[in-house]
Amino acid sequence: MGVVVSIGEKGGGGVENLVALTREDMARVNETILSRTGSDVTMIPEVAQHLISSGGKRLRPMLTLATAQLARYTGAGHVKLAASVEFMHTATLLHDDVVDESDLRRGKPSARKVWGNEASVLVGDFLLGQAFKMMVEVGSLQCLDVLSTAAAVIAEGEVMQLAAAKNTATTEDEYLAVIRAKTAALFAAAAEVGPILAGAPEDAQKACRSYGLNLGVAFQLIDDALDYGGTSAKLGKNVGDDFREGKITLPLVLAFRRGTDEERQFWRDSIEKGMSDDTRLSRAIDLLKKHRALEDTVERARHYGEVAKDALALFPASPMRDALGEVVDFCISRAY
Amino acid sequence: MGVVVSIGEKGGGGVENLVALTREDMARVNETILSRTGSDVTMIPEVAQHLISSGGKRLRPMLTLATAQLARYTGAGHVKLAASVEFMHTATLLHDDVVDESDLRRGKPSARKVWGNEASVLVGDFLLGQAFKMMVEVGSLQCLDVLSTAAAVIAEGEVMQLAAAKNTATTEDEYLAVIRAKTAALFAAAAEVGPILAGAPEDAQKACRSYGLNLGVAFQLIDDALDYGGTSAKLGKNVGDDFREGKITLPLVLAFRRGTDEERQFWRDSIEKGMSDDTRLSRAIDLLKKHRALEDTVERARHYGEVAKDALALFPASPMRDALGEVVDFCISRAY
């Protein structure tokens, strides 16, 4: 369910500048993450490290570091807040695997597969607790407000998605409300706490929040398109997981609405009744192509990406502002 | 796994005074709980209300209200903190049911049985998020520190218990470390934030924390004894749940250590191999009686209860101090 951020995999372009500009701070975030997952209870570091070291590239904490820097923050609190953001994200992944009954996460056995549902639930809770402890240590009540609100909104979004699960009648607006809550809210909070910590004016805080929120929406939509092979929509490994799991995503929402009665019945049978073998996946991809559902999902993502970039326009030009803009383009380019 | 607090059920004595002294504040806590479990996502209020309205008597939030009053607090923040404490507790129960695969909670179908593991995990996360939001609104960083530390410790204690699960060689000290973390830490935090909020001196804060911690340990030990029918150790409904679930509790730890080789083999087969039918439960209870394991569990609880009462001795005599002392006695008396 989480967005897998595979930065740099597509060979060059896009995120190198952001990575370079945040490299030193990120090294300190990594140290913090390591030291804060330590526990005499050996299962905790094991599970946490399994997930934390297994391939995500930490875009969310990078947003906190980057926006703090953009707002000329000179303190050290952004490191702990960035680590908190990553812990919140990791906790969400652990709980999502239990909710989705996933056996794989980023191509590796999921924590719940290796250690069981119990450990996934509880280590997720432990990481959430540590995240709040770190935020409290930083001591900014406004940052605490932003991040704790995000935690509640994310959980609410996940329940919303659960309640709407397998409902092919989901509208685009409803779907957007879900991903704003369950994915984009953390991007938004991660980006907002940087300027808050820096004591930047409210318009700068709002700008960064808007950047994060819209980037998060774009990111999730591209992820949705990628799950069906991106705009090339080729069958391949890892393609069609959402379809097989009966997940409603924007490509499906669009194809369902644009489809014939017979096609809608096909989607209903696939999603609601779980008829989703490879032959049917192949038909699903044909229908997505027929209705340009993947291209248009990417177009929607491009729209949110543009909003994200414009949000930063009030900051004076700087290497960091450029780097944050490039991340948006990189995110969209993943779909091709 | 959670401690079920059935205040007043044993007909009179013990908690009436505390209930009376906190009645007005508790009404406001209940209003807060209701309003904060509201959500457009209907599953959230449903699940939350199911659990919150199903019989727990809210001892933990009552501790926050009581210790705030004991320290002569005159503000309104204790109401939100008390509600936060109850949300943290409720979230723990929801997650415990998933971890323990429990179908019953306080004699009713558990949330996971009615709504599934998914909703239990996610609504638990939502309540945790709301708990932190409320704490942030109150704005005391020291209270946030105490409660977020408790959240991390509780989760750590649960993982500790998971790692030690079904290990009949668990020592009394190891078991105490588990219940200090998973049960008593929240009692301690709930009692500590009252005087902190009131701006009471550090010795008053420490006294209330110690009271809560030791009461929490006593409470869990009594609960452990009650699970085998209390000191009367009579077979009856709901007796032996821990045994059937293969849970290590103090009565078992004592009986195992005091037992013969043959008896230890019986415990190992029962707990580690899950051989725990009613005939074996009956034998287990006989062994607990033979080794006075339930009486001595209650004696241990009484010890912690005395520590709890002494912790409050530095406060001048007052109806509230007396009421908090009576709660300890009531807690112990449940075992008879």
Side-chain angles (χ1 to χ4, degrees):
Chain A
M1 186 52 31
V3 176
V4 177
V5 182
S6 303
I7 287 174
E9 266 179 16
K10 289 247 166 178
V15 292
E16 279 80 1
N17 288 330
L18 184 64
V19 169
L21 288 167
T22 56
R23 182 162 285 128
E24 277 179 44
D25 282 347
M26 190 53 83
R28 293 160 68 204
V29 171
N30 288 337
E31 279 165 28
T32 306
I33 287 174
L34 276 174
S35 72
R36 290 307 184 111
T37 48
S39 166
D40 294 340
V41 186
T42 50
M43 201 186 275
I44 290 177
E46 273 177 35
V47 176
Q49 291 308 320
H50 171 83
L51 200 59
I52 287 171
S53 65
S54 70
K57 289 301 188 296
R58 305 194 179 161
L59 180 57
R60 294 163 189 79
M62 213 181 285
L63 290 181
T64 300
L65 300 177
T67 57
Q69 219 173 303
L70 187 70
R72 307 190 181 285
Y73 179 61
T74 53
H78 62 323
V79 170
K80 276 186 183 168
L81 289 189
S84 296
V85 165
E86 183 67 5
F87 277 12
M88 285 174 66
H89 174 56
T90 307
T92 308
L93 295 186
L94 281 166
H95 288 182
D96 275 353
D97 283 342
V98 175
V99 170
D100 295 345
E101 302 182 346
S102 311
D103 291 334
L104 287 175
R105 162 74 59 193
R106 293 173 185 154
K108 289 190 188 178
S110 68
R112 84 176 229 16
K113 183 77 179 169
V114 182
W115 288 278
N117 277 344
E118 303 91 336
S120 294
V121 170
L122 298 176
V123 175
D125 289 350
F126 174 79
L127 291 176
L128 266 184
Q130 286 292 342
F132 280 103
K133 262 177 77 82
M134 282 191 282
M135 292 172 213
V136 172
E137 286 165 16
V138 174
S140 158
L141 279 169
Q142 200 185 337
C143 291
L144 273 160
D145 181 29
V146 167
L147 288 165
S148 62
T149 300
V153 168
I154 292 164
E156 198 169 15
E158 303 260 7
V159 184
M160 209 190 296
Q161 185 174 51
L162 187 65
K166 303 192 188 303
N167 177 9
T168 51
T170 302
T171 66
E172 181 165 349
D173 285 330
E174 286 168 340
Y175 180 66
L176 274 171
V178 168
I179 66 175
R180 273 204 187 91
K182 86 180 184 63
T183 305
L186 187 56
F187 278 76
E192 188 179 5
V193 292
I196 291 176
L197 210 50
E202 200 184 338
D203 60 353
Q205 299 171 18
K206 282 191 187 164
C208 286
R209 175 173 188 83
S210 174
Y211 169 81
L213 188 75
N214 285 286
L215 174 64
V217 171
F219 217 104
Q220 182 65 57
L221 292 178
I222 295 297
D223 223 54
D224 293 348
L226 280 174
D227 196 85
Y228 287 101
T231 53
S232 61
K234 280 190 197 134
L235 270 172
K237 70 172 181 164
N238 296 327
V239 162
D241 284 347
D242 286 347
F243 182 74
R244 277 185 288 268
E245 292 170 21
K247 276 188 195 155
I248 307 287
T249 61
L250 188 58
L252 193 156
V253 169
L254 294 176
F256 180 84
R257 302 211 151 245
R258 295 171 183 179
T260 65
D261 284 350
E262 187 275 327
E263 290 170 9
R264 286 185 196 162
Q265 196 52 50
F266 166 83
W267 290 113
R268 275 189 215 102
D269 291 343
S270 303
I271 300 300
E272 294 167 17
K273 296 187 188 155
M275 296 159 65
S276 53
D277 59 25
D278 281 358
T279 314
R280 293 182 67 95
L281 172 60
S282 186
R283 167 114 206 256
I285 290 183
D286 287 344
L287 291 178
L288 295 175
K289 277 186 193 161
K290 174 183 168 190
H291 294 294
R292 296 186 47 85
L294 294 167
E295 287 90 333
D296 285 348
T297 295
V298 175
E299 277 310 309
R300 305 292 211 260
R302 191 188 309 281
H303 159 82
Y304 290 103
E306 292 303 318
V307 176
K309 285 195 279 184
D310 276 324
L312 292 187
L314 70 75
F315 286 95
S318 70
M320 185 55 91
R321 194 186 77 169
D322 291 347
L324 286 167
E326 288 159 17
V327 167
V328 175
D329 294 332
F330 168 76
C331 155
I332 309 291
S333 73
R334 292 188 309 147
Y336 297 100
Chain B
M1 188 51 32
V3 176
V4 177
V5 182
S6 302
I7 288 175
E9 267 179 14
K10 290 247 164 178
V15 293
E16 280 79 3
N17 288 330
L18 184 64
V19 169
L21 288 168
T22 56
R23 182 163 284 128
E24 276 180 44
D25 282 348
M26 190 55 82
R28 294 160 68 206
V29 171
N30 288 336
E31 279 166 28
T32 306
I33 286 174
L34 276 174
S35 73
R36 290 306 183 109
T37 48
S39 166
D40 294 341
V41 185
T42 49
M43 201 186 276
I44 290 177
E46 273 176 34
V47 176
Q49 291 307 319
H50 171 82
L51 201 59
I52 288 172
S53 65
S54 70
K57 289 301 187 300
R58 302 192 182 163
L59 179 57
R60 294 163 189 79
M62 212 181 286
L63 290 181
T64 301
L65 300 177
T67 57
Q69 218 172 302
L70 186 70
R72 308 189 179 285
Y73 179 61
T74 53
H78 61 323
V79 171
K80 276 187 183 166
L81 289 189
S84 296
V85 165
E86 183 68 5
F87 277 12
M88 284 174 66
H89 174 55
T90 307
T92 307
L93 295 185
L94 282 165
H95 287 181
D96 275 353
D97 283 343
V98 175
V99 169
D100 295 345
E101 302 182 345
S102 311
D103 291 335
L104 286 176
R105 161 74 59 194
R106 292 171 187 155
K108 288 190 190 178
S110 68
R112 81 170 209 102
K113 183 76 179 170
V114 183
W115 288 278
N117 277 343
E118 303 91 335
S120 293
V121 171
L122 297 177
V123 175
D125 289 350
F126 174 79
L127 292 176
L128 266 185
Q130 286 293 343
F132 280 104
K133 262 177 76 82
M134 282 191 280
M135 292 172 214
V136 172
E137 287 166 16
V138 174
S140 158
L141 279 169
Q142 200 185 338
C143 290
L144 273 159
D145 182 28
V146 167
L147 289 165
S148 62
T149 300
V153 168
I154 293 164
E156 199 169 13
E158 303 261 7
V159 183
M160 209 190 296
Q161 184 171 53
L162 187 65
K166 302 193 190 301
N167 177 9
T168 50
T170 302
T171 66
E172 180 165 349
D173 284 331
E174 286 168 341
Y175 180 66
L176 274 171
V178 167
I179 67 175
R180 272 204 187 91
K182 85 178 186 61
T183 306
L186 187 56
F187 278 76
E192 188 179 4
V193 293
I196 290 176
L197 210 50
E202 201 184 337
D203 58 353
Q205 298 170 19
K206 283 190 187 164
C208 287
R209 174 174 189 81
S210 174
Y211 169 81
L213 187 75
N214 285 287
L215 175 64
V217 171
F219 217 104
Q220 182 65 58
L221 293 178
I222 296 297
D223 222 55
D224 293 348
L226 280 174
D227 196 83
Y228 288 100
T231 53
S232 61
K234 280 190 198 133
L235 269 172
K237 71 171 180 166
N238 297 327
V239 162
D241 285 347
D242 287 346
F243 182 75
R244 277 184 288 268
E245 291 170 23
K247 276 188 195 156
I248 306 288
T249 61
L250 188 58
L252 192 154
V253 168
L254 295 177
F256 181 83
R257 304 211 148 245
R258 297 172 183 179
T260 64
D261 285 350
E262 187 274 328
E263 289 170 9
R264 287 186 195 160
Q265 195 54 49
F266 166 82
W267 289 114
R268 277 190 213 101
D269 291 343
S270 303
I271 300 300
E272 295 167 16
K273 296 186 187 155
M275 295 159 65
S276 52
D277 59 25
D278 280 358
T279 314
R280 294 182 66 94
L281 172 60
S282 186
R283 166 113 208 259
I285 290 183
D286 286 345
L287 292 178
L288 295 175
K289 276 186 196 164
K290 173 182 168 190
H291 295 293
R292 297 186 45 87
L294 294 167
E295 288 90 333
D296 285 348
T297 295
V298 175
E299 277 310 307
R300 304 292 210 258
R302 190 188 309 279
H303 159 80
Y304 290 103
E306 292 304 317
V307 177
K309 285 194 279 184
D310 275 324
L312 293 187
L314 70 74
F315 286 94
S318 70
M320 185 56 90
R321 194 187 76 168
D322 292 346
L324 286 167
E326 288 159 17
V327 167
V328 174
D329 295 332
F330 168 76
C331 155
I332 309 292
S333 73
R334 292 190 308 147
Y336 297 99

